[in-house]
Coordinates of all heavy atoms in Angstrom, one line a residue:
M1 N 0.8 -1.2 0.0 CA 0.0 0.0 0.0 C 0.9 1.2 0.0 O 1.8 1.4 0.8 CB -0.9 0.0 1.2 CG -1.7 1.2 1.4 SD -2.7 1.4 2.9 CE -3.7 -0.1 2.8
A2 N 0.7 2.1 -0.9 CA 1.5 3.4 -1.0 C 1.1 4.3 0.1 O -0.1 4.4 0.5 CB 1.2 4.0 -2.4
R3 N 2.1 5.0 0.6 CA 1.9 6.0 1.6 C 2.0 7.4 1.1 O 3.0 7.7 0.4 CB 2.9 5.8 2.8 CG 2.7 4.5 3.5 CD 3.4 4.5 4.8 NE 3.0 5.6 5.6 CZ 3.7 6.1 6.6 NH1 4.9 5.6 6.8 NH2 3.3 7.1 7.3
I4 N 1.0 8.3 1.4 CA 1.0 9.6 0.8 C 1.0 10.6 2.0 O 0.2 10.5 2.9 CB -0.3 9.8 0.0 CG1 -0.5 8.6 -1.0 CG2 -0.3 11.2 -0.7 CD1 0.6 8.4 -2.0
L5 N 1.8 11.6 1.8 CA 1.8 12.7 2.8 C 1.0 13.9 2.2 O 1.3 14.3 1.0 CB 3.2 13.2 3.1 CG 3.4 14.4 4.0 CD1 2.7 14.2 5.4 CD2 4.8 14.8 4.2
I6 N 0.0 14.4 2.9 CA -0.8 15.5 2.4 C -0.3 16.8 3.2 O -0.4 16.8 4.4 CB -2.3 15.3 2.7 CG1 -2.7 14.0 2.0 CG2 -3.1 16.5 2.2 CD1 -4.1 13.5 2.5
V7 N 0.1 17.8 2.5 CA 0.5 19.1 3.1 C -0.3 20.2 2.7 O -0.3 20.6 1.5 CB 2.0 19.4 2.8 CG1 2.5 20.6 3.6 CG2 2.9 18.1 3.0
H8 N -1.1 20.7 3.6 CA -2.0 21.8 3.4 C -2.4 22.5 4.7 O -2.5 21.8 5.7 CB -3.3 21.4 2.7 CG -4.0 22.5 1.9 ND1 -4.7 23.4 2.6 CD2 -4.1 22.7 0.6 CE1 -5.2 24.3 1.7 NE2 -4.9 23.9 0.5
D9 N -2.6 23.8 4.7 CA -2.9 24.5 6.0 C -4.3 24.3 6.4 O -4.7 24.6 7.5 CB -2.5 25.9 6.0 CG -3.1 26.7 4.8 OD1 -3.9 26.1 4.1 OD2 -2.8 27.9 4.7
S10 N -5.2 23.8 5.5 CA -6.6 23.6 5.8 C -6.9 22.2 6.2 O -6.7 21.3 5.4 CB -7.5 24.0 4.6 OG -8.8 23.5 4.8
E11 N -7.3 22.0 7.5 CA -7.7 20.7 7.9 C -8.8 20.1 7.1 O -8.8 18.9 6.8 CB -8.1 20.8 9.4 CG -8.3 19.4 10.0 CD -8.6 19.5 11.5 OE1 -8.3 20.5 12.2 OE2 -9.2 18.5 12.0
T12 N -9.7 20.9 6.7 CA -10.8 20.4 5.8 C -10.3 19.8 4.5 O -10.7 18.7 4.1 CB -11.8 21.5 5.5 OG1 -12.4 22.0 6.8 CG2 -13.0 21.0 4.6
I13 N -9.4 20.5 3.9 CA -8.9 20.0 2.6 C -8.0 18.7 2.9 O -8.1 17.8 2.1 CB -8.1 21.1 1.9 CG1 -9.0 22.2 1.4 CG2 -7.2 20.5 0.7 CD1 -8.4 23.4 0.8
R14 N -7.2 18.7 3.9 CA -6.4 17.5 4.2 C -7.3 16.3 4.5 O -7.1 15.2 4.0 CB -5.6 17.8 5.5 CG -4.4 18.7 5.3 CD -3.4 18.7 6.4 NE -4.0 18.8 7.8 CZ -4.1 20.0 8.4 NH1 -3.7 21.1 7.9 NH2 -4.6 20.0 9.6
S15 N -8.4 16.5 5.2 CA -9.4 15.5 5.4 C -10.1 15.0 4.2 O -10.2 13.7 4.0 CB -10.4 15.9 6.4 OG -11.4 15.0 6.7
E16 N -10.5 15.9 3.3 CA -11.2 15.5 2.1 C -10.2 14.7 1.2 O -10.6 13.7 0.6 CB -11.7 16.7 1.3 CG -12.9 17.4 2.0 CD -13.3 18.7 1.4 OE1 -12.6 19.2 0.5 OE2 -14.3 19.2 1.8
L17 N -9.0 15.2 1.1 CA -8.0 14.4 0.3 C -7.7 13.1 0.9 O -7.5 12.1 0.2 CB -6.7 15.3 0.2 CG -6.8 16.4 -0.8 CD1 -5.6 17.4 -0.7 CD2 -6.8 15.9 -2.3
A18 N -7.6 13.0 2.2 CA -7.3 11.7 2.9 C -8.4 10.7 2.6 O -8.1 9.5 2.3 CB -7.1 11.9 4.4
Q19 N -9.6 11.2 2.6 CA -10.8 10.3 2.3 C -10.7 9.8 0.8 O -10.9 8.6 0.5 CB -12.1 11.0 2.5 CG -12.4 11.2 4.0 CD -13.6 12.0 4.2 OE1 -14.3 12.5 3.3 NE2 -14.0 12.2 5.5
A20 N -10.4 10.7 -0.1 CA -10.3 10.4 -1.5 C -9.2 9.4 -1.8 O -9.3 8.4 -2.5 CB -10.2 11.6 -2.4
L21 N -8.0 9.6 -1.1 CA -6.9 8.8 -1.3 C -7.1 7.4 -0.7 O -6.7 6.4 -1.2 CB -5.6 9.4 -0.7 CG -5.1 10.6 -1.4 CD1 -4.2 11.4 -0.6 CD2 -4.4 10.2 -2.7
A22 N -7.8 7.3 0.5 CA -8.2 6.1 1.1 C -9.1 5.3 0.1 O -8.9 4.0 0.0 CB -8.9 6.3 2.4
A23 N -10.0 5.9 -0.6 CA -10.8 5.2 -1.5 C -10.0 4.6 -2.7 O -10.5 3.7 -3.3 CB -11.9 6.2 -2.1
E24 N -8.9 5.2 -3.0 CA -8.0 4.6 -4.0 C -7.0 3.6 -3.4 O -6.2 3.1 -4.1 CB -7.2 5.8 -4.7 CG -8.0 6.7 -5.5 CD -8.5 6.1 -6.8 OE1 -7.9 5.1 -7.3 OE2 -9.4 6.6 -7.4
G25 N -7.1 3.3 -2.1 CA -6.3 2.3 -1.5 C -5.0 2.8 -0.9 O -4.1 2.0 -0.6
F26 N -4.9 4.1 -0.7 CA -3.6 4.7 -0.1 C -3.7 4.9 1.4 O -4.8 5.2 1.9 CB -3.3 6.1 -0.8 CG -3.0 6.0 -2.2 CD1 -3.8 6.7 -3.1 CD2 -2.0 5.3 -2.7 CE1 -3.6 6.7 -4.5 CE2 -1.7 5.3 -4.1 CZ -2.5 6.0 -5.0
A27 N -2.6 4.8 2.0 CA -2.5 5.2 3.4 C -2.0 6.6 3.4 O -1.2 7.0 2.6 CB -1.5 4.3 4.2
T28 N -2.5 7.4 4.4 CA -2.1 8.8 4.4 C -1.6 9.3 5.7 O -1.9 8.7 6.8 CB -3.3 9.7 4.0 OG1 -4.3 9.6 5.0 CG2 -3.8 9.4 2.6
A29 N -0.8 10.3 5.7 CA -0.4 11.1 6.8 C -0.6 12.6 6.4 O -0.7 12.9 5.2 CB 1.1 10.9 7.2
A30 N -0.7 13.5 7.4 CA -1.0 14.9 7.1 C 0.0 15.8 7.8 O 0.4 15.5 8.9 CB -2.4 15.2 7.4
A31 N 0.2 16.9 7.2 CA 1.0 18.0 7.8 C 0.3 19.3 7.5 O -0.2 19.5 6.4 CB 2.4 18.0 7.3
G32 N 0.2 20.2 8.5 CA -0.4 21.5 8.3 C 0.5 22.6 7.9 O 0.0 23.7 7.7
S33 N 1.8 22.3 7.8 CA 2.7 23.4 7.4 C 3.9 22.7 6.7 O 4.1 21.5 6.8 CB 3.2 24.1 8.6 OG 4.0 23.3 9.5
S34 N 4.7 23.5 6.1 CA 5.9 22.9 5.4 C 6.9 22.4 6.4 O 7.5 21.4 6.2 CB 6.5 24.0 4.5 OG 6.7 25.2 5.2
S35 N 7.1 23.1 7.5 CA 8.1 22.6 8.5 C 7.6 21.3 9.1 O 8.4 20.4 9.4 CB 8.3 23.7 9.6 OG 7.1 24.1 10.2
E36 N 6.3 21.2 9.4 CA 5.8 19.9 9.9 C 5.9 18.8 8.8 O 6.3 17.7 9.2 CB 4.3 20.1 10.2 CG 3.7 18.8 10.8 CD 2.2 19.0 11.1 OE1 1.6 20.0 10.9 OE2 1.6 18.0 11.6
A37 N 5.8 19.2 7.6 CA 5.9 18.2 6.5 C 7.4 17.6 6.5 O 7.6 16.4 6.3 CB 5.6 18.8 5.1
V38 N 8.4 18.5 6.6 CA 9.7 18.0 6.7 C 10.0 17.1 7.8 O 10.6 16.0 7.7 CB 10.7 19.2 6.7 CG1 12.1 18.8 6.9 CG2 10.6 20.0 5.4
R39 N 9.4 17.4 9.0 CA 9.6 16.5 10.2 C 8.9 15.2 9.9 O 9.5 14.1 10.2 CB 9.0 17.2 11.4 CG 9.8 18.3 12.0 CD 9.3 18.7 13.4 NE 7.9 19.1 13.5 CZ 7.5 20.3 13.2 NH1 8.4 21.3 12.9 NH2 6.2 20.7 13.3
V40 N 7.7 15.2 9.3 CA 7.0 13.9 9.0 C 7.8 13.1 8.0 O 7.9 11.9 8.1 CB 5.6 14.2 8.6 CG1 4.9 13.0 8.1 CG2 4.8 14.9 9.7
L41 N 8.3 13.8 7.0 CA 9.1 13.1 6.0 C 10.3 12.4 6.6 O 10.7 11.3 6.2 CB 9.6 14.0 4.9 CG 8.6 14.3 3.8 CD1 9.0 15.5 3.0 CD2 8.3 13.1 2.9
W42 N 11.0 13.1 7.5 CA 12.2 12.5 8.2 C 11.8 11.3 9.0 O 12.6 10.3 9.2 CB 12.8 13.5 9.1 CG 13.8 14.4 8.4 CD1 13.7 15.7 8.1 CD2 15.1 14.0 7.9 NE1 14.8 16.2 7.5 CE2 15.7 15.2 7.3 CE3 15.8 12.8 7.9 CZ2 16.9 15.2 6.7 CZ3 17.1 12.8 7.3 CH2 17.6 14.0 6.7
G43 N 10.6 11.3 9.6 CA 10.1 10.2 10.4 C 9.4 9.0 9.7 O 9.1 8.0 10.4
G44 N 9.3 9.1 8.4 CA 8.6 8.0 7.8 C 9.0 7.8 6.4 O 9.9 8.5 5.9
S45 N 8.4 6.8 5.7 CA 8.7 6.5 4.4 C 7.4 6.7 3.5 O 6.4 6.2 3.8 CB 9.1 5.0 4.3 OG 9.3 4.6 2.9
F46 N 7.6 7.6 2.5 CA 6.4 8.0 1.7 C 6.7 7.7 0.2 O 7.8 7.8 -0.2 CB 6.1 9.4 1.9 CG 5.6 9.7 3.3 CD1 6.4 10.0 4.3 CD2 4.2 9.5 3.6 CE1 6.0 10.2 5.6 CE2 3.8 9.7 4.9 CZ 4.7 10.1 5.9
D47 N 5.7 7.4 -0.5 CA 5.8 7.2 -2.0 C 5.5 8.5 -2.7 O 6.0 8.7 -3.8 CB 4.8 6.2 -2.4 CG 5.1 4.8 -1.8 OD1 6.1 4.2 -2.2 OD2 4.3 4.4 -0.9
A48 N 4.7 9.4 -2.1 CA 4.3 10.7 -2.7 C 3.9 11.7 -1.7 O 3.5 11.4 -0.5 CB 3.1 10.5 -3.7
V49 N 4.0 13.0 -2.1 CA 3.6 14.1 -1.3 C 2.7 15.0 -2.1 O 3.1 15.4 -3.2 CB 4.8 14.9 -0.8 CG1 4.3 16.2 0.0 CG2 5.7 14.1 0.1
L50 N 1.5 15.2 -1.6 CA 0.6 16.2 -2.2 C 0.7 17.5 -1.4 O 0.6 17.4 -0.2 CB -0.9 15.7 -2.1 CG -1.4 14.7 -3.1 CD1 -2.8 14.3 -2.7 CD2 -1.3 15.1 -4.5
F51 N 1.0 18.6 -2.1 CA 1.3 19.8 -1.3 C 0.6 21.0 -1.9 O 0.4 21.1 -3.1 CB 2.8 20.1 -1.2 CG 3.4 20.4 -2.6 CD1 3.5 21.7 -3.0 CD2 3.8 19.4 -3.5 CE1 4.1 22.0 -4.2 CE2 4.3 19.6 -4.7 CZ 4.4 21.0 -5.1
S52 N 0.2 21.9 -1.0 CA -0.3 23.2 -1.4 C 0.8 24.1 -1.8 O 1.9 24.2 -1.2 CB -1.1 23.9 -0.2 OG -1.4 25.2 -0.5
E53 N 0.6 24.9 -2.9 CA 1.6 25.8 -3.3 C 1.5 27.1 -2.5 O 2.4 28.0 -2.6 CB 1.5 26.1 -4.8 CG 1.8 24.9 -5.6 CD 1.7 25.2 -7.1 OE1 0.7 25.9 -7.5 OE2 2.6 24.7 -7.9
Q54 N 0.5 27.3 -1.7 CA 0.3 28.5 -0.9 C 0.5 28.3 0.6 O -0.3 28.6 1.4 CB -1.2 29.0 -1.1 CG -1.6 29.2 -2.5 CD -0.8 30.3 -3.2 OE1 -0.5 31.3 -2.6 NE2 -0.5 30.1 -4.5
L55 N 1.7 27.8 1.0 CA 2.0 27.5 2.4 C 2.6 28.7 3.0 O 3.3 29.5 2.3 CB 2.9 26.3 2.5 CG 2.3 25.0 2.0 CD1 3.4 23.9 1.9 CD2 1.3 24.5 3.0
A56 N 2.4 28.9 4.3 CA 3.0 30.0 5.0 C 4.5 29.7 5.3 O 4.9 28.5 5.3 CB 2.3 30.2 6.4
K57 N 5.3 30.7 5.4 CA 6.8 30.6 5.7 C 7.6 30.0 4.5 O 8.5 30.6 4.0 CB 7.1 29.9 7.0 CG 6.5 30.6 8.2 CD 6.9 29.9 9.5 CE 6.3 30.7 10.6 NZ 6.6 30.1 11.9
I58 N 7.4 28.8 4.2 CA 8.1 28.1 3.1 C 7.1 27.9 2.0 O 6.1 27.2 2.2 CB 8.8 26.8 3.5 CG1 9.8 27.1 4.6 CG2 9.4 26.2 2.3 CD1 10.4 25.8 5.1
S59 N 7.3 28.3 0.8 CA 6.3 28.1 -0.3 C 6.3 26.7 -0.7 O 7.2 25.9 -0.4 CB 6.7 29.0 -1.5 OG 7.9 28.4 -2.1
G60 N 5.2 26.3 -1.4 CA 5.1 24.9 -1.9 C 6.2 24.5 -2.8 O 6.7 23.4 -2.8
T61 N 6.7 25.5 -3.6 CA 7.8 25.3 -4.5 C 9.1 25.0 -3.8 O 9.8 24.0 -4.1 CB 7.9 26.5 -5.5 OG1 6.7 26.7 -6.1 CG2 9.0 26.2 -6.5
T62 N 9.3 25.7 -2.7 CA 10.5 25.5 -1.9 C 10.4 24.2 -1.2 O 11.4 23.4 -1.1 CB 10.7 26.7 -0.9 OG1 10.8 27.9 -1.6 CG2 12.0 26.5 -0.1
L63 N 9.2 23.9 -0.7 CA 9.0 22.6 0.0 C 9.3 21.4 -1.0 O 10.0 20.4 -0.7 CB 7.6 22.4 0.5 CG 7.2 21.1 1.1 CD1 8.1 20.7 2.3 CD2 5.8 21.0 1.5
E64 N 8.8 21.6 -2.3 CA 9.0 20.6 -3.3 C 10.5 20.4 -3.5 O 11.0 19.2 -3.6 CB 8.3 20.9 -4.6 CG 8.4 19.8 -5.6 CD 7.7 20.2 -6.9 OE1 7.4 21.4 -7.2 OE2 7.3 19.2 -7.6
E65 N 11.3 21.4 -3.5 CA 12.8 21.4 -3.7 C 13.4 20.6 -2.5 O 14.3 19.8 -2.7 CB 13.4 22.8 -3.8 CG 13.1 23.5 -5.1 CD 13.5 24.9 -5.1 OE1 14.4 25.3 -4.3 OE2 13.0 25.7 -6.0
H66 N 12.9 20.9 -1.3 CA 13.5 20.2 -0.1 C 13.2 18.7 -0.2 O 14.0 17.9 0.1 CB 12.8 20.7 1.2 CG 13.4 22.0 1.6 ND1 14.7 22.3 1.8 CD2 12.7 23.2 1.9 CE1 14.9 23.5 2.2 NE2 13.7 24.1 2.3
I67 N 12.0 18.4 -0.7 CA 11.6 16.9 -0.8 C 12.5 16.3 -1.8 O 13.0 15.2 -1.6 CB 10.1 16.8 -1.2 CG1 9.2 17.3 0.0 CG2 9.8 15.4 -1.5 CD1 7.7 17.5 -0.4
R68 N 12.7 16.9 -2.9 CA 13.5 16.3 -4.0 C 15.0 16.1 -3.5 O 15.6 15.2 -3.9 CB 13.5 17.1 -5.2 CG 12.1 17.0 -5.9 CD 12.1 17.9 -7.2 NE 10.7 18.0 -7.6 CZ 10.3 17.5 -8.7 NH1 11.1 16.8 -9.5 NH2 9.0 17.7 -9.1
N69 N 15.4 17.0 -2.6 CA 16.8 16.8 -2.0 C 16.8 15.7 -1.0 O 17.8 15.0 -0.9 CB 17.3 18.1 -1.4 CG 17.6 19.2 -2.5 OD1 18.0 18.8 -3.6 ND2 17.5 20.4 -2.2
L70 N 15.8 15.7 -0.1 CA 15.7 14.7 0.9 C 15.4 13.3 0.4 O 16.0 12.3 0.9 CB 14.6 15.1 2.0 CG 14.8 16.3 2.8 CD1 13.6 16.6 3.6 CD2 16.0 16.0 3.8
A71 N 14.5 13.2 -0.5 CA 14.0 11.9 -1.0 C 13.6 12.0 -2.5 O 12.4 12.2 -2.8 CB 12.8 11.5 -0.2
P72 N 14.6 12.0 -3.4 CA 14.3 12.2 -4.8 C 13.4 11.1 -5.4 O 12.8 11.4 -6.4 CB 15.7 12.1 -5.4 CG 16.6 11.5 -4.4 CD 16.0 11.7 -3.1
E73 N 13.2 10.0 -4.7 CA 12.3 8.9 -5.3 C 10.9 9.2 -5.0 O 10.0 8.6 -5.5 CB 12.7 7.6 -4.7 CG 12.4 7.4 -3.2 CD 13.3 8.1 -2.2 OE1 14.3 8.7 -2.6 OE2 13.1 7.9 -1.0
V74 N 10.6 10.2 -4.1 CA 9.2 10.5 -3.7 C 8.6 11.4 -4.8 O 9.1 12.4 -5.2 CB 9.2 11.2 -2.4 CG1 7.8 11.7 -2.0 CG2 9.7 10.3 -1.3
V75 N 7.4 11.0 -5.3 CA 6.6 11.7 -6.2 C 6.0 12.9 -5.5 O 5.5 12.8 -4.4 CB 5.5 10.8 -6.9 CG1 4.6 11.7 -7.7 CG2 6.1 9.7 -7.6
T76 N 6.1 14.1 -6.2 CA 5.5 15.3 -5.6 C 4.4 15.8 -6.6 O 4.6 15.7 -7.8 CB 6.5 16.4 -5.4 OG1 7.2 16.7 -6.6 CG2 7.5 16.1 -4.3
L77 N 3.3 16.2 -6.0 CA 2.2 16.7 -6.9 C 1.5 17.9 -6.1 O 1.1 17.7 -5.0 CB 1.2 15.6 -7.1 CG 0.0 15.9 -8.0 CD1 0.4 16.3 -9.4 CD2 -1.0 14.7 -8.0
A78 N 1.4 19.0 -6.8 CA 0.7 20.2 -6.2 C -0.8 20.0 -6.1 O -1.4 19.4 -7.0 CB 1.0 21.4 -7.0
I79 N -1.3 20.4 -5.0 CA -2.8 20.3 -4.9 C -3.4 21.5 -5.7 O -3.0 22.6 -5.6 CB -3.2 20.5 -3.4 CG1 -2.6 19.3 -2.6 CG2 -4.7 20.6 -3.2 CD1 -2.7 19.5 -1.1
T80 N -4.3 21.1 -6.6 CA -5.0 22.1 -7.4 C -6.4 22.3 -7.0 O -6.8 21.7 -6.0 CB -4.9 21.6 -8.9 OG1 -5.7 20.4 -9.0 CG2 -3.5 21.4 -9.4
R81 N -7.1 23.0 -7.8 CA -8.6 23.2 -7.5 C -9.4 22.1 -7.9 O -10.7 22.1 -7.8 CB -9.0 24.5 -8.1 CG -8.4 25.7 -7.5 CD -8.9 27.0 -8.1 NE -8.1 28.1 -7.6 CZ -8.6 29.0 -6.8 NH1 -9.8 29.0 -6.4 NH2 -7.8 30.0 -6.4
D82 N -8.8 21.0 -8.5 CA -9.6 19.8 -8.9 C -10.2 19.2 -7.7 O -9.7 19.3 -6.6 CB -8.6 18.8 -9.6 CG -8.2 19.2 -11.0 OD1 -8.9 19.9 -11.6 OD2 -7.2 18.7 -11.4
P83 N -11.3 18.5 -7.9 CA -11.9 17.8 -6.7 C -11.0 16.8 -6.2 O -10.1 16.2 -6.9 CB -13.1 17.1 -7.4 CG -13.4 17.8 -8.7 CD -12.1 18.3 -9.1
P84 N -11.0 16.5 -4.9 CA -10.1 15.6 -4.2 C -10.1 14.2 -4.9 O -9.0 13.6 -5.1 CB -10.7 15.4 -2.8 CG -11.3 16.8 -2.5 CD -11.9 17.2 -3.9
W85 N -11.2 13.7 -5.4 CA -11.2 12.4 -6.0 C -10.4 12.4 -7.3 O -9.7 11.4 -7.7 CB -12.7 11.9 -6.3 CG -13.4 12.7 -7.3 CD1 -14.2 13.8 -7.0 CD2 -13.4 12.6 -8.7 NE1 -14.7 14.3 -8.2 CE2 -14.2 13.7 -9.2 CE3 -12.7 11.8 -9.6 CZ2 -14.4 13.8 -10.6 CZ3 -12.9 12.0 -11.0 CH2 -13.8 13.0 -11.5
R86 N -10.4 13.6 -8.0 CA -9.7 13.7 -9.3 C -8.1 13.7 -9.0 O -7.4 13.1 -9.7 CB -10.1 14.9 -10.1 CG -9.4 14.9 -11.4 CD -10.0 16.0 -12.4 NE -11.3 15.6 -12.8 CZ -12.3 16.4 -13.1 NH1 -12.0 17.7 -13.1 NH2 -13.5 16.0 -13.4
L87 N -7.7 14.4 -7.9 CA -6.3 14.4 -7.5 C -5.9 13.0 -7.1 O -4.8 12.6 -7.5 CB -6.1 15.4 -6.4 CG -6.1 16.9 -6.8 CD1 -6.0 17.8 -5.6 CD2 -4.9 17.2 -7.7
A88 N -6.7 12.4 -6.4 CA -6.4 11.0 -5.9 C -6.2 10.1 -7.1 O -5.3 9.3 -7.2 CB -7.5 10.5 -5.0
R89 N -7.1 10.2 -8.1 CA -7.0 9.3 -9.3 C -5.8 9.7 -10.1 O -5.1 8.8 -10.6 CB -8.3 9.6 -10.1 CG -8.4 8.7 -11.3 CD -8.7 7.2 -10.9 NE -7.5 6.5 -11.3 CZ -7.1 5.4 -10.8 NH1 -7.7 4.8 -9.8 NH2 -6.0 4.7 -11.2
K90 N -5.5 11.0 -10.2 CA -4.3 11.4 -10.9 C -3.0 10.8 -10.3 O -2.1 10.3 -10.9 CB -4.2 12.9 -11.0 CG -2.9 13.4 -11.8 CD -2.9 14.9 -11.9 CE -1.7 15.3 -12.7 NZ -1.7 16.7 -12.9
L91 N -3.0 10.9 -8.9 CA -1.8 10.4 -8.2 C -1.7 8.9 -8.4 O -0.6 8.3 -8.6 CB -1.9 10.7 -6.7 CG -0.7 10.3 -5.9 CD1 0.6 10.9 -6.4 CD2 -0.9 10.7 -4.5
A92 N -2.9 8.2 -8.3 CA -2.9 6.7 -8.6 C -2.3 6.4 -9.9 O -1.5 5.5 -10.1 CB -4.3 6.2 -8.4
D93 N -2.7 7.1 -11.0 CA -2.2 6.9 -12.3 C -0.7 7.2 -12.4 O 0.0 6.4 -13.0 CB -2.9 7.8 -13.3 CG -4.4 7.4 -13.6 OD1 -4.7 6.2 -13.2 OD2 -5.1 8.2 -14.1
I94 N -0.2 8.2 -11.7 CA 1.2 8.5 -11.7 C 2.0 7.4 -11.1 O 3.0 6.9 -11.6 CB 1.5 9.9 -11.0 CG1 1.0 11.0 -11.9 CG2 3.0 10.1 -10.7 CD1 0.9 12.4 -11.1
L95 N 1.5 7.0 -9.9 CA 2.2 5.9 -9.2 C 2.2 4.6 -9.9 O 3.1 3.8 -9.8 CB 1.7 5.8 -7.8 CG 2.0 7.0 -6.8 CD1 1.3 6.8 -5.5 CD2 3.5 7.2 -6.7
D96 N 1.1 4.4 -10.7 CA 1.0 3.1 -11.5 C 1.8 3.2 -12.8 O 1.9 2.3 -13.5 CB -0.4 2.8 -11.9 CG -1.2 2.3 -10.7 OD1 -0.6 1.9 -9.7 OD2 -2.5 2.4 -10.7
G97 N 2.4 4.4 -13.1 CA 3.2 4.6 -14.3 C 2.4 4.9 -15.5 O 2.9 5.0 -16.6
A98 N 1.0 5.1 -15.3 CA 0.2 5.4 -16.4 C 0.3 6.8 -16.9 O 0.0 7.1 -18.1 CB -1.3 5.1 -16.1
V99 N 0.7 7.7 -16.1 CA 0.8 9.2 -16.4 C 2.1 9.7 -15.8 O 2.5 9.3 -14.7 CB -0.4 10.0 -15.7 CG1 -0.2 11.4 -16.0 CG2 -1.7 9.5 -16.3
A100 N 2.8 10.5 -16.6 CA 4.0 11.1 -16.1 C 3.7 12.2 -15.0 O 2.7 12.9 -15.1 CB 4.8 11.8 -17.2
A101 N 4.6 12.3 -14.1 CA 4.4 13.3 -13.0 C 4.5 14.7 -13.5 O 5.1 15.0 -14.4 CB 5.4 13.0 -11.8

């Protein structure tokens, strides 16, 4: 089972994404900030990170750079305005190799 880290400052959005990812068979962890995301990444093994580009203190782009330096094998995907189920399906396709990241 793939493990996904969800990084967003909104608990509601993290929860909705977690539910959609669970429906696709993923295990999830969540972080409410970029600094929390880095701590969670250090403490676990993840296949992918879904992140908001609008994070406080460290931007999503900077967080993505940190992730690529810490764990280049981890897939990163920005959270868009797409419905959570669509993001979950896109991530599933990426991890299955059906779609390029």
Side-chain angles (χ1 to χ4, degrees):
M1 175 183 302
R3 292 196 58 205
I4 313 301
L5 176 60
I6 303 164
V7 186
H8 200 286
D9 58 359
S10 167
E11 186 175 339
T12 301
I13 290 173
R14 291 192 310 265
S15 177
E16 289 172 355
L17 284 168
Q19 290 174 358
L21 290 163
E24 291 288 339
F26 295 119
T28 63
S33 68
S34 50
S35 57
E36 183 182 358
V38 171
R39 284 193 302 276
V40 172
L41 278 168
W42 274 107
S45 175
F46 294 91
D47 299 289
V49 177
L50 283 175
F51 65 95
S52 170
E53 292 181 319
Q54 306 295 323
L55 295 168
K57 296 186 182 179
I58 298 176
S59 72
T61 304
T62 302
L63 174 61
E64 184 176 26
E65 290 174 18
H66 285 306
I67 294 166
R68 289 178 194 247
N69 289 331
L70 290 171
E73 72 283 0
V74 173
V75 172
T76 55
L77 182 64
I79 296 170
T80 63
R81 294 179 188 252
D82 285 336
W85 65 267
R86 186 170 290 154
L87 284 171
R89 186 69 247 153
K90 181 177 182 178
L91 184 58
D93 289 344
I94 290 168
L95 291 174
D96 287 341
V99 175

